[in-house]
Amino acid sequence: PIWSIGCGAAVSTSVRQRLGENVRLARVRRRMSQQELALACGITRKTVYALEKGVPGTTIATVFAVL
């Protein structure tokens, strides 16, 4: 399955899942909670959760904010 991350780009499920796993790993290595990461990035904890789980609908702006 393919999903859109904004700006007309499409990303496969495996890429979303890998990105989410990498975001979670980086967050855990920094000993940050989802809430702490969300506050640092100006997004909600729910959005961090969705990004880490590879849920469709995350905008490219959100991905860049977290990176």
Side-chain angles (χ1 to χ4, degrees):
I2 302 284
W3 62 284
S4 175
I5 58 170
C7 301
V11 177
S12 71
T13 300
S14 64
V15 172
R16 278 186 293 134
Q17 289 172 337
R18 253 191 330 234
L19 175 64
E21 290 168 4
N22 286 334
V23 168
R24 181 184 178 285
L25 182 60
R27 175 182 61 78
V28 170
R29 283 183 177 163
R30 289 172 177 79
R31 297 184 176 160
M32 294 178 79
S33 68
Q34 287 181 339
Q35 183 64 37
E36 290 169 329
L37 179 59
L39 288 172
C41 297
I43 58 178
T44 66
R45 187 207 56 81
K46 188 175 177 178
T47 301
V48 171
Y49 174 84
L51 180 61
E52 288 183 355
K53 294 297 181 185
V55 175
T58 305
T59 66
I60 194 71
T62 300
V63 173
F64 285 135
V66 173
L67 297 178

